[in-house]
Amino acid sequence: MAKPRDVYVCSSCGAQTFQWRGQCPSCQEWNTLEQRAAPRTPAGRRASSVPTGGSSRPVPLSSVSEEGCRAFGTGLAALDRVLGRGLVPGASLLVGGEPGIGKSTLLLQVAGMVAAAGRRVIYASGEESLPQIRDRAARLGMLHGNLLAMATSQVEEVLEAVRSGPPALLVLDSVQTLTSLEAEGLPGNVSQVRAVATALQDACRRSGTTLVLVGHVTKEGTLAGPRLLEHMVDTVISLEGDRRQMFRLLRVFKNRFGPNEELLVFQMAQEGMRIVEDPATFFLGARDASLSGTSVLMALDGHRPLAVEVQALVTRSYLSIPRRTGLGFDVNRLHLLLAVLEKRLRLNFGQVDIYAKIGGGMKLQEPGMDAALVAAVLSSFYDVPLPERAVLWGEIDLNGQVRPVSGHDARLAQARRLGYDPIFHPDVRQGGVGTVAALQQRLFRH
């Protein structure tokens, strides 16, 4: 049983509010709010007059009607494709990301475009005031009559707005800033987040409203709050990127209505977030292929192959222990590959510092980058540039073998579409390279 809290009831119209005001927000009468004890409702048993649309008895699935459950678009075709079916009525989405990464901007754009399509949208914020929201919406060009906004820290006020006029889309920014009368503690603690999310999801499922929750992240980059929150929602989305860069990566980690591990690239602009329609070569930038120490990796992020530049610098060391630095990937991968090169190619890296990074601010974890990283290191070590249109991928094991990686056919098709030649890939078919020694020979023979 939750701790009871007081509410203020208008003696004129019966409206309720959780803070005392001189004027009733509903009937505009003065000095009519009277303090009363809020009813104690057990958690998980909320009274609601809105029908659930289901049944307390099991029914054949073939007899369940799909009326009112058709998905509608976000206004961004690429985002609809990533989500699988667009926005599904009654579904819930969780969007996470670092502060200032663009979550509120992107969702306000989506809310404005859905409102422009003739659907009612409510944008509820516990972080910003209404003038702040309006100023950002005006900058994005998203001021529409169907786009409603409210600034509150009480989930009961949001629930009342949903029940009084169910919108097609409800955006809550953010779930950690709201509190519920059914839970104790400060906003953002486990019980409050669970109570707020459960109440909103239940109300939106009953009314057929698509719910979008914005979630904070921890210092490690994971979604804050109870893990239960990710299990409750239908879709989990993460917005990533370096705030000093102009691009953002939208990743889908969980999706009940479409494929997982999808990727979408946005570019930050004055008018908001713009989708990069073909990001295949977006991260290469103004690359100069005549310089040594650079290679092109055909990476696979989700289901989308991307051409990414891998850079390396091998220079003479004046330290007793040479320095090894890696940016954009796990530096332990660099240590492992250097040990393989020293063992299998009889090279000596004991007197050189080695620095390596992924170009464009990307962060990669896939094993397919091993071949490109080795090629960049060897190119800088010999101070010989690689072939101008060369592209590589493949995993290198401790025995110096170049192993196949997932998505080989997709990488190969993308490399050919972009006109790369020569193509260095694992020896899954004729023409590939089987060992790191063969890779070195073919790289510098060209």
Side-chain angles (χ1 to χ4, degrees):
M1 191 73 71
K3 181 179 179 180
R5 295 180 59 179
D6 292 337
V7 296
Y8 296 89
V9 181
C10 177
S11 59
S12 177
C13 66
Q16 296 184 4
T17 181
F18 298 97
Q19 295 179 348
W20 185 87
R21 303 176 184 180
Q23 185 182 36
C24 174
S26 178
C27 65
Q28 308 302 319
E29 292 291 333
W30 290 91
N31 300 322
T32 57
L33 293 181
E34 300 177 356
Q35 185 176 4
R36 298 180 186 177
R40 303 179 66 180
T41 305
R45 299 185 60 185
R46 302 172 185 84
S48 175
S49 60
V50 183
T52 62
S55 173
S56 59
R57 296 172 298 176
V59 297
L61 285 176
S62 58
S63 65
V64 177
S65 174
E66 297 183 357
E67 184 179 356
C69 296
R70 289 195 175 185
F72 56 91
T74 62
L76 300 172
L79 183 57
D80 294 339
R81 174 183 55 81
V82 168
L83 295 177
R85 296 170 53 188
L87 299 175
V88 179
S92 54
L93 296 83
L94 177 62
V95 181
E98 296 181 357
I101 204 68
K103 304 183 298 297
S104 300
T105 299
L106 176 61
L107 293 179
L108 190 56
Q109 283 183 251
V110 172
M113 287 184 285
V114 172
R119 291 181 171 87
R120 191 169 184 262
V121 179
I122 296 179
Y123 186 97
S125 176
E127 301 178 349
E128 298 177 284
S129 64
L130 289 178
Q132 289 175 313
I133 300 174
R134 187 197 184 283
D135 182 67
R136 187 154 45 88
R139 176 174 58 85
L140 300 175
M142 296 298 168
L143 291 177
H144 301 286
N146 290 327
L147 177 56
L148 310 179
M150 58 186 303
T152 179
S153 60
Q154 297 289 337
V155 69
E156 284 77 13
E157 296 183 359
V158 180
L159 294 173
E160 184 61 31
V162 172
R163 290 165 182 158
S164 60
L169 174 64
L170 171 64
V171 179
L172 181 66
D173 187 9
S174 64
V175 67
Q176 277 87 5
T177 59
L178 264 69
T179 58
S180 172
L181 293 177
E182 297 186 355
E184 298 181 0
L186 297 174
N189 67 16
V190 173
S191 59
Q192 285 288 354
V193 170
R194 183 186 293 116
V196 169
T198 302
L200 287 171
Q201 191 177 36
D202 182 59
C204 290
R205 188 183 294 115
R206 293 169 181 268
S207 61
T209 298
T210 303
L211 172 65
V212 178
L213 299 172
V214 177
H216 295 169
V217 296
T218 63
K219 291 185 293 184
E220 293 77 19
T222 59
L223 284 166
R227 196 72 176 182
L228 175 66
L229 190 60
E230 297 182 45
H231 291 284
M232 292 170 54
V233 299
D234 300 300
T235 305
V236 178
I237 298 173
S238 175
L239 199 60
E240 305 171 1
D242 190 339
R243 282 177 288 182
R244 293 163 291 187
Q245 299 284 347
M246 297 303 296
F247 70 89
R248 301 289 185 267
L249 300 178
L250 185 145
R251 302 180 190 271
V252 180
F253 292 113
K254 172 188 175 183
N255 194 359
R256 288 176 178 157
F257 307 110
N260 295 327
E261 299 298 331
E262 280 288 345
L263 175 72
L264 198 61
V265 180
F266 289 92
Q267 188 172 13
M268 291 291 291
Q270 180 65 28
E271 61 276 10
M273 307 272 275
R274 293 187 303 185
I275 293 179
V276 179
E277 298 294 343
D278 187 8
T281 59
F282 177 78
F283 297 99
L284 290 180
R287 177 176 179 267
D288 189 351
S290 64
L291 301 177
S292 63
T294 68
S295 64
V296 177
L297 162 68
M298 188 57 66
L300 192 68
D301 201 320
H303 301 281
R304 184 185 292 272
L306 304 171
V308 181
E309 183 182 32
V310 180
Q311 304 169 3
L313 175 62
V314 181
T315 181
R316 182 180 175 183
S317 177
Y318 295 94
L319 304 174
S320 58
I321 300 177
R323 182 172 297 173
R324 307 286 187 256
T325 302
L327 297 178
F329 63 96
D330 186 1
V331 72
N332 292 322
R333 183 186 297 270
L334 178 61
H335 294 157
L336 183 148
L337 293 176
L338 293 179
V340 172
L341 295 180
E342 287 188 330
K343 177 73 173 181
R344 303 302 171 186
L345 300 183
R346 311 292 183 182
L347 299 178
N348 182 12
F349 295 128
Q351 302 299 321
V352 293
D353 294 332
I354 300 178
Y355 309 88
K357 64 173 292 189
I358 306 297
M362 280 283 288
K363 294 182 180 179
L364 296 177
Q365 297 180 351
E366 68 148 336
M369 68 173 292
D370 288 354
L373 184 55
V374 163
V377 170
L378 292 176
S379 173
S380 181
F381 182 75
Y382 295 123
D383 199 19
V384 176
L386 300 179
E388 181 179 357
R389 299 293 295 171
V391 66
L392 308 94
W393 67 86
E395 180 185 7
I396 296 178
D397 63 16
L398 296 181
N399 293 318
Q401 302 293 316
V402 183
R403 294 189 172 188
V405 291
S406 62
H408 173 81
D409 293 336
R411 300 175 200 250
L412 186 60
Q414 184 74 299
R416 289 173 175 171
R417 184 182 74 86
L418 297 175
Y420 284 106
D421 185 53
I423 301 175
F424 301 94
H425 57 79
D427 193 13
V428 292
R429 296 183 179 89
Q430 290 184 352
V433 290
T435 65
V436 68
L439 175 62
Q440 176 186 234
Q441 182 180 7
R442 289 188 56 186
L443 277 172
F444 299 103
R445 183 182 63 191
H446 285 81

